[in-house]
Amino acid sequence: MSVLEHSGTGARMTVPEGWEVVEPGTGEVAEAVVTALEPPRQAPVGFRANLVLSVVGTGLDFRQWQVNTDIMLPQALTDFVLLDLERLEVAGHPGGRRLARHVGPDGTDLTLEQWFTLVDGAGITVSATVDSWRYDAVADELATHARSLSLPGGGGA
Amino acid sequence: MRVDLDRSTGSLRLDDEGFEALVAGTDATQEVRADPAVAAALRAVDTAEVRVCVDVAGRGLTQTHLAWVTPEAVALLLSVTGHERQLITTAPQHLAAAVARVVRIGPRKVGERTAVEVDQDVLEDLFHADETRRWSAMTVAGADLAWTLSATWDDGERLLSVVDGPSGLQAVEPDGEGRWRLVPVTGTWVWRRLTTLLPD
């Protein structure tokens, strides 16, 4: 089983077998994000589904962090539509899940699903993105990997 | 008859009579038909492999939105207000999002929910032209909005009916014994069905 791990905090999760784990770059933002990409798809080349684990210091409480996220996402993503939002436990901590649709830079219709929690001031988010017409086929598998998220100190799977 | 093309935005506003004239290719619509986006929409209408109809009913109004789907494009005829329609061309991959917008899928804050039985008469009256009967059915069903979607093609179809209100999104489903029930669902559930709407 492949693993996606954020070296700074030890947050880790499984990713589908065969997915490419992209080493983070340098810089404050890049170091906060680790990504796994599904293998390149056969022609016609399509969008590569991905899982992104991000850990950022928020300086905010959970609600304000998520309000800010709800404000930022429609501004950052083209034709953003929020489809679902719920509170649930993530890695053993109070958190939530968000489902949204937007359009990628090349015009691909994308579905974004996020699981998020705030622990000791660190906002931890797992983001899964897939082209929308494959979402139903892969949603359960991506959710299983999102639920595998574990945090140092025993939180999560 | 109304057929108004705003060439700066590509937006085509029209009424039902204007749409019929456009499809029929009447002389009065030739200039508009020559617009590339309109021409693409009309090609989709002419050669559609899948036809989609979304009936949306609220307490105060009912609307019908139509779509014609080809492998290359989707023509959307959206109800705007009253008799005003808008004809839009988009890619088939954006069909689910177009439906999600017109039926207003989104998060709903609800508590614990269970499936409840509902009479067929009530379901039919949710879309009744008479506002009083519609209002009554909405009240009985606990709904502010109801919508039903059909996607049909040569040898198949997909149907989806949902009521939406203080109890959140609820799918209309048969109970297996000839009756109907409202089953609690989520925006995620609906999105999974919308993104599998078209035949494989």
Side-chain angles (χ1 to χ4, degrees):
Chain A
M1 186 70 73
S2 301
V3 171
L4 199 59
E5 181 165 7
H6 181 257
S7 58
T9 61
R12 54 187 283 144
M13 59 179 287
T14 62
V15 298
E17 202 62 50
W19 280 34
E20 175 189 355
V21 175
V22 179
E23 293 299 323
T26 55
E28 188 175 336
V29 174
E31 290 171 355
V33 175
V34 285
T35 302
L37 287 166
E38 77 170 325
R41 297 166 64 193
Q42 293 185 340
V45 175
F47 181 84
R48 294 172 71 184
N50 58 75
L51 282 161
V52 177
L53 171 60
S54 67
V55 183
V56 294
T58 67
L60 301 168
D61 64 22
F62 179 84
R63 172 162 168 70
Q64 194 55 52
W65 173 46
Q66 284 306 309
V67 167
N68 287 2
T69 303
D70 285 328
I71 293 169
M72 179 273 294
L73 285 173
Q75 295 172 350
L77 301 174
T78 302
D79 286 346
F80 180 88
V81 179
L82 181 63
L83 301 162
D84 209 352
L85 184 63
E86 63 176 338
R87 289 287 183 98
L88 49 73
E89 200 170 86
V90 173
H93 297 272
R97 184 186 68 92
R98 170 187 293 104
L99 184 74
R101 168 269 183 188
H102 64 101
V103 176
D106 66 348
T108 302
D109 205 289
L110 300 175
T111 295
L112 166 70
E113 190 159 17
Q114 293 184 316
W115 295 261
F116 45 84
T117 187
L118 185 72
V119 180
D120 297 333
I124 301 158
T125 303
V126 175
S127 299
T129 304
V130 60
D131 44 304
S132 292
W133 290 94
R134 283 197 301 148
Y135 171 68
D136 183 63
V138 300
D140 292 339
E141 182 184 13
L142 294 177
T144 296
H145 290 290
R147 282 194 294 270
S148 76
L149 175 68
S150 63
L151 306 174
Chain B
M1 181 182 86
R2 179 185 177 196
V3 180
D4 293 333
L5 176 64
D6 182 339
R7 293 188 186 279
S8 64
T9 63
S11 171
L12 178 61
R13 300 287 177 131
L14 66 176
D15 57 16
D16 288 338
E17 190 181 352
F19 180 71
E20 288 171 12
L22 205 58
V23 172
T26 63
D27 290 344
T29 63
Q30 290 307 312
E31 191 177 334
V32 173
R33 285 174 61 90
D35 179 84
V38 175
L42 293 174
R43 274 197 303 276
V45 173
D46 285 343
T47 62
E49 296 177 7
V50 181
R51 290 169 176 77
V52 179
C53 176
V54 186
D55 289 309
V56 183
R59 291 175 185 252
L61 82 165
T62 61
Q63 291 184 318
T64 296
H65 310 282
L66 300 172
W68 294 264
V69 185
T70 72
E72 294 78 29
V74 177
L76 292 163
L77 186 65
L78 303 176
S79 290
V80 182
T81 56
H83 297 293
E84 184 175 348
R85 312 278 180 263
Q86 184 174 19
L87 185 63
I88 296 171
T89 312
T90 189
Q93 62 173 324
H94 301 314
L95 176 63
V99 175
R101 285 186 194 277
V102 299
V103 300
R104 304 171 207 167
I105 295 302
R108 304 287 186 268
K109 178 64 177 172
V110 290
E112 288 292 315
R113 302 180 292 166
T114 57
V116 294
E117 277 193 30
V118 61
D119 291 338
Q120 182 156 346
D121 291 352
V122 171
L123 294 175
E124 290 171 359
D125 279 356
L126 287 171
F127 298 91
H128 204 284
D130 181 84
E131 189 172 327
T132 303
R133 290 188 67 157
R134 204 168 61 244
W135 191 92
S136 171
M138 291 273 174
T139 302
V140 171
D144 295 323
L145 189 78
W147 54 270
T148 185
L149 177 154
S150 67
T152 57
W153 55 93
D154 274 351
D155 56 356
E157 66 175 358
R158 289 200 173 101
L159 304 171
L160 179 60
S161 293
V162 170
V163 300
D164 190 0
S167 297
L169 297 162
Q170 299 176 93
V172 179
E173 295 196 340
D175 71 354
E177 298 176 0
R179 293 187 296 270
W180 296 91
R181 58 186 193 147
L182 302 178
V183 179
V185 295
T186 63
T188 300
W189 184 93
V190 175
W191 183 244
R192 293 182 74 152
R193 271 130 197 93
L194 294 181
T195 53
T196 49
L197 184 62
L198 299 178
D200 296 331

